[in-house]
Amino acid sequence: MVTARDVDPFELAVFLPALCRNMGVPYCIIKGKARLGRLVHREPCTTVAFTQVNSEDKGTLAKLVKAVRTNYNNRCVTRRHWGGSVLSPKSVGRTAKLEKAKVKELSTTWGYLGIVEFSARKNN
């Protein structure tokens, strides 16, 4: 699958690389719609998917697919991992403050049973 970089509105093609990676389809992004339009002999076009290939062109396509998989599909740089479940000091303080408020509220309600004081002492 070949997609142009200057698609407008961009939301039409923004999901295609992730979908192609998940489905194992080789994809690449080229510079402009005009170049892609020259390939299919039409007005500027945004995306092209190859469904049939002549037998004499299969070797050339195999080389192209190998290059595309190396440069687009198999790049680890494009897959980013956000977060990592490490909270910032500000978030840790806010969470601790909320927990203290919960313990205080529960101690006023259930404090006479001694359950909340025990769990609060255990956590600190």
Side-chain angles (χ1 to χ4, degrees):
M1 174 180 259
V2 182
T3 304
R5 183 175 60 183
D6 59 345
V7 177
D8 187 45
F10 190 68
E11 290 81 18
L12 293 176
V14 74
F15 68 94
L16 289 174
L19 179 64
C20 288
R21 265 196 308 271
N22 289 340
M23 300 300 287
V25 175
Y27 74 95
C28 68
I29 300 170
I30 64 168
K31 204 169 200 175
K33 293 185 288 189
R35 289 183 181 189
L36 200 55
R38 274 188 263 143
L39 174 71
V40 294
H41 306 291
R42 299 215 178 226
E43 290 293 315
C45 132
T46 59
T47 306
V48 172
F50 298 106
T51 57
Q52 294 178 345
V53 180
N54 293 337
S55 60
E56 62 268 6
D57 296 329
K58 286 188 179 182
T60 308
L61 182 67
K63 289 180 186 176
L64 181 66
V65 166
K66 183 179 178 186
V68 165
R69 283 191 191 273
T70 304
N71 292 327
Y72 288 94
N73 287 62
N74 298 336
R75 288 177 82 181
C76 295
V77 177
T78 58
R79 298 179 197 173
R80 294 187 175 148
H81 177 71
W82 300 100
S85 67
V86 177
L87 295 177
S88 68
K90 186 176 179 180
S91 297
V92 170
R94 188 175 332 138
T95 306
K97 186 177 178 181
L98 286 173
E99 288 298 321
K100 271 186 171 179
K102 286 179 186 177
V103 168
K104 185 176 180 181
E105 182 181 341
L106 286 175
S107 66
T108 57
T109 309
W110 295 93
Y112 64 91
L113 294 177
I115 298 171
V116 176
E117 286 84 10
F118 176 73
S119 66
R121 276 187 256 128
K122 184 178 160 186
N123 289 337
N124 290 332

